[in-house]
Amino acid sequence: MKQLTIALLMMFCCATANAQNAETTMQDIYEKGGELVKMLEERYEQEIVRIEYDLLFGTKESIRTLSTSYRYTVLAFSDDRVEDLDITVYKRSGNSWEQIMKDTETDNSPLVQFTPTAATEYKVEIKAYKFREGESAAHYGLIISHDMP
């Protein structure tokens, strides 16, 4: 089983930065997502368990039940209208959410990895922390994967 490392993050950041433009088309994000799926599945032997593409005006949330049997990779990416995109992961705790992980880099391609401590719902929050000057919306993609069973 291959491990995702900081090298993946570096390759991901560089590739994402060069592939985006500020057009209002979803095509660039869709194509970048396809490249990332291929890389995650073929090179890193990851199984994709969720993919999302959407418009981002501030914050979006994605909720999914995760297993304690896998280490998950959560990555997001945006077009170049976002200077700083953040991921925060929360675990359901009764009727509330407990923060368990947060991306702290200043870029538009955050990546976090974790192994759930409980088989329960997890919320991934994607936030455009900083838009490029003059922008207030962008396209983004979200991919959640784990090691192949």
Side-chain angles (χ1 to χ4, degrees):
M1 174 181 348
K2 296 182 182 179
Q3 286 285 68
L4 286 169
T5 63
I6 196 71
L8 169 64
L9 178 59
M10 295 305 293
M11 289 177 8
F12 174 64
C13 290
C14 294
T16 302
N18 294 327
Q20 310 301 317
N21 67 44
E23 300 296 324
T24 58
T25 178
M26 183 66 81
Q27 187 67 33
D28 288 341
I29 292 296
Y30 181 76
E31 289 173 0
K32 176 50 57 188
E35 293 170 17
L36 290 167
V37 166
K38 185 175 182 176
M39 180 177 64
L40 287 166
E41 289 180 343
E42 294 177 4
R43 185 180 297 171
Y44 294 98
E45 300 176 357
Q46 294 281 297
E47 180 176 30
I48 307 301
V49 297
R50 186 178 203 87
I51 296 178
E52 293 179 11
Y53 300 104
D54 204 350
L55 283 170
L56 181 63
F57 297 97
T59 303
K60 290 279 189 164
E61 296 176 351
S62 182
I63 298 172
R64 182 169 183 89
T65 300
L66 302 179
S67 168
T68 58
S69 301
Y70 300 105
R71 181 170 192 222
Y72 289 86
T73 298
V74 179
L75 58 93
F77 48 100
S78 69
D79 60 36
D80 67 358
R81 293 176 285 182
V82 175
E83 291 182 9
D84 187 9
L85 186 68
D86 291 334
I87 294 174
T88 306
V89 179
Y90 301 87
K91 177 176 80 171
R92 181 171 293 283
S93 180
N95 292 328
S96 60
W97 296 98
E98 172 189 343
Q99 181 179 321
I100 63 163
M101 174 143 314
K102 182 174 176 55
D103 157 66
T104 58
E105 299 297 319
T106 304
D107 59 18
N108 69 353
S109 53
L111 180 147
V112 296
Q113 295 179 300
F114 68 99
T115 302
T117 58
T120 188
E121 288 184 328
Y122 288 79
K123 176 172 66 171
V124 176
E125 180 183 84
I126 301 100
K127 180 178 181 179
Y129 186 77
K130 182 179 182 187
F131 283 102
R132 190 177 68 202
E133 187 175 334
E135 301 292 347
S136 61
H139 292 114
Y140 82 95
L142 169 70
I143 300 175
I144 301 175
S145 65
H146 63 63
D147 294 334
M148 290 285 196

